[in-house]
Amino acid sequence: MTLLHANFPKKKGFLSVSLELFLSQLEPVEMSIYESLLAYVAGLNRALALFFILGKEDTQNFTPERLVAFGESLHGKLLAFLFNEEETALLNQGLKELLGVYLSLYGKYLYM
């Protein structure tokens, strides 16, 4: 919901009513951005979950430093794959902050 509020400020009033109503009000360009944001989050989550599973098995090779490096590399690849240059420039910082949240969550459960 935070991603939606931040990236679709003109539409955030619809979110209190329902997500379906929100989605029905999106213009085609906005729907494309929304779907790309969902793809970014899904890709990030799946890749970090895989790292987590492998890291549980082999903590010597799957260090916290490698988790961060993997996350940063993944972030760059997902941005390049899912968004055009203009979108990347606008979304990079916010999505990098989201990556930080995911890295801390996965790192907490993997290394603590």
Side-chain angles (χ1 to χ4, degrees):
M1 294 303 274
T2 301
L3 281 173
L4 296 176
H5 282 290
N7 290 289
F8 303 99
K10 293 180 183 175
K11 308 291 186 192
K12 73 179 183 181
F14 293 115
L15 292 175
S16 60
V17 177
S18 80
L19 182 58
E20 286 185 31
L21 181 58
F22 166 76
L23 293 174
S24 73
Q25 297 295 317
L26 291 178
E27 297 170 11
V29 171
E30 293 171 325
M31 181 58 83
S32 174
I33 293 169
Y34 173 78
E35 289 170 347
S36 295
L37 287 170
L38 288 179
Y40 176 89
V41 171
L44 187 67
N45 197 35
R46 287 182 180 152
L48 291 175
L50 181 60
F51 187 99
F52 180 85
I53 291 168
L54 296 172
K56 280 288 198 192
E57 305 272 327
D58 183 8
T59 54
Q60 191 170 13
N61 288 317
F62 290 85
T63 63
E65 294 81 10
R66 287 196 175 161
L67 174 64
V68 171
F70 176 73
E72 288 179 359
S73 172
L74 179 63
H75 170 75
K77 289 178 182 179
L78 285 171
L79 277 179
F81 181 71
L82 295 170
F83 301 100
N84 64 39
E85 288 181 39
E86 296 159 348
E87 293 168 336
T88 298
L90 296 171
L91 296 171
N92 183 39
Q93 185 58 38
L95 291 178
K96 198 156 201 170
E97 290 172 12
L98 179 65
L99 168 67
V101 171
Y102 271 89
L103 288 176
S104 17
L105 288 173
Y106 278 97
K108 175 183 175 184
Y109 292 105
L110 186 57
Y111 302 110
M112 298 202 176

